[in-house]
Amino acid sequence: MDYQKILENVLIKMTGFQELGNPASYIPELRKVDPFKFGVHLITKKNKNFGLGDSEEKFSIQSISKVLSLVMAYQLQDEDLWKRVGVEPSGTPFNSLIQLEYDQGIPRNPFINAGALVICDILVEHLKNPKDEFLNFVRKLSGNSELEYCARISESEKSVGYRNAALINLMKDLGNIHNDIDTVLDFYFNLCSIEMTCRELARTFLFLASYGLNPITKEKILSSSKAKRVNAIMQLCGFYDEAGEFSFKVGLPGKSGVGGGIVAILPNQYSIVVWSPGLNKKGNSSKGMKFLELFTSETESSIF
Ligand code: GLU
């Protein structure tokens, strides 16, 4: 398939699409991003690369990193992981406190903030230097050994992180956080702060399009059964309260973040990342979602 041509055609079809949305405003640093940025990168299992727009510019991956922390925790804890976090869509906002109390501190899934905090707690429990080891893991997957946490963004989020503090305190009280809450929160803010280009992020997720095997380095990251399960959670829980809509319109497993990035994979074929900072009312990149809808229609590629 001539993906370069297809990406360009889809971009032309986007010209009439006016719903730009607004960059996330609750994290001060994210408010400053130019809403007109737009980048796409697709990488195939055979390491063929296609990109357009601002695909080589770094952006804040935010919640997309929750998939990577989940993968690392799944490597360390196997199926015991699911005793502390569920695999069901939440039906409530990503930072909601209400459901957590009803569910006795067991978050519905690892992609809502409460679930991601539990995953961070598990990593803090298992790893000597969680921040360093997580960063190295992401560096290896991305092919960029110089990736860093962004202190400007993590500090900005920390300065307004009252809700995440409330979530972790509630879970500590209910017995589902085992470590020092400040250590876990600091780790969480840092992993959300990583900045990557569309190209780096697409490569990072390629192993999930390849049954858990990184097809470039040949390293087995997850068993195919575990990779299937991570993809299933992305399909059901990867898009805030819009996972149904994303499945309906795009038909691929993926994950979005409030930085305006979306990663999606087609098993055995490709990983694709779109970045456009304007978010729709549900918190997903407005243009990003539309682009992927048109792209999977044009290529007739979907898991369904
Ligand atoms: N760091 C963000 C938060 O905790 C992540 C949000 C997101 O991208 O979903 O609010």
Side-chain angles (χ1 to χ4, degrees):
M1 228 183 269
D2 186 351
Y3 281 122
Q4 192 62 41
K5 197 152 196 277
I6 294 169
L7 293 179
E8 280 157 20
N9 283 344
V10 172
L11 192 62
I12 292 168
K13 285 195 179 166
M14 290 283 295
T15 34
F17 184 76
Q18 301 298 340
E19 290 154 45
L20 183 62
N22 294 308
S25 57
Y26 74 103
I27 299 176
E29 277 302 309
L30 295 184
R31 226 181 275 160
K32 299 179 183 163
V33 181
D34 176 358
F36 293 99
K37 292 284 176 192
F38 185 86
V40 186
H41 189 90
L42 182 147
I43 181 169
T44 69
K45 213 180 138 186
K46 294 195 169 140
N47 196 11
K48 297 264 180 298
N49 289 270
F50 309 90
L52 53 80
D54 302 309
S55 62
E56 303 282 355
E57 194 167 316
K58 288 195 186 293
F59 65 94
S60 181
I61 70 168
Q62 289 296 318
S63 266
I64 297 174
S65 63
K66 292 173 182 170
V67 182
L68 304 171
S69 49
L70 170 66
V71 167
M72 220 178 166
Y74 207 5
Q75 288 176 331
L76 293 164
Q77 273 228 325
D78 298 318
E79 304 312 317
D80 272 354
L81 196 66
W82 312 118
K83 292 182 184 151
R84 292 182 57 190
V85 61
V87 296
E88 298 294 341
S90 73
T92 53
F94 70 101
N95 55 8
S96 167
L97 283 146
I98 297 171
Q99 201 168 45
L100 196 56
E101 176 144 39
Y102 281 123
D103 291 345
Q104 290 298 307
I106 308 292
R108 285 281 164 105
N109 68 66
F111 297 158
I112 51 174
N113 285 13
L117 287 164
V118 168
I119 296 294
C120 284
D121 187 56
I122 290 169
L123 292 178
V124 167
E125 214 162 304
H126 278 85
L127 304 173
K128 249 201 194 117
N129 296 304
K131 274 196 247 191
D132 290 351
E133 289 176 56
F134 181 74
L135 192 58
N136 281 336
F137 177 63
V138 183
R139 282 176 173 169
K140 260 192 8 209
L141 286 172
S142 69
N144 178 355
S145 58
E146 285 170 11
L147 280 185
E148 288 292 349
Y149 295 117
C150 176
R152 184 177 47 82
I153 294 177
S154 64
E155 289 303 321
S156 176
E157 183 168 5
K158 202 177 287 180
S159 73
V160 292
Y162 311 114
R163 214 161 238 281
N164 285 318
L167 288 168
I168 202 167
N169 273 285
L170 182 57
M171 289 191 291
K172 183 83 178 172
D173 182 64
L174 293 167
N176 200 15
I177 292 290
H178 301 168
N179 298 281
D180 171 55
I181 54 176
D182 290 328
T183 308
V184 178
L185 262 184
D186 176 68
F187 181 37
Y188 172 77
F189 291 138
N190 271 280
L191 63 90
C192 289
S193 80
I194 294 178
E195 293 179 301
M196 281 198 218
T197 66
C198 294
R199 186 188 184 101
E200 289 164 350
L201 192 55
R203 176 172 164 153
T204 302
F205 273 71
L206 194 55
F207 74 98
L208 287 173
S210 189
Y211 308 103
L213 177 88
N214 182 336
I216 300 171
T217 61
K218 307 285 178 234
E219 191 185 348
K220 191 80 176 157
I221 310 296
L222 286 180
S223 68
S224 56
S225 157
K226 283 181 171 176
K228 175 199 75 181
R229 290 177 172 191
V230 171
N231 288 344
I233 302 172
M234 288 205 290
Q235 190 78 44
L236 294 168
C237 315
F239 294 90
Y240 310 113
D241 278 347
E242 221 176 11
E245 189 85 1
F246 192 84
S247 283
F248 188 71
K249 290 186 169 160
V250 179
L252 299 176
K255 181 77 192 86
S256 69
V258 295
I262 298 181
V263 58
I265 58 114
L266 180 62
N268 214 22
Q269 300 291 334
Y270 62 73
S271 159
I272 184 168
V273 170
V274 184
W275 170 52
S276 169
L279 308 180
N280 65 18
K281 288 203 172 70
K282 297 283 171 88
N284 293 304
S285 169
S286 183
K287 282 177 92 176
M289 248 176 105
K290 187 69 190 175
F291 187 93
L292 289 171
E293 179 188 346
L294 295 173
F295 176 78
T296 51
S297 304
E298 184 87 14
T299 49
E300 295 182 2
S301 55
S302 130
I303 63 159
F304 298 108

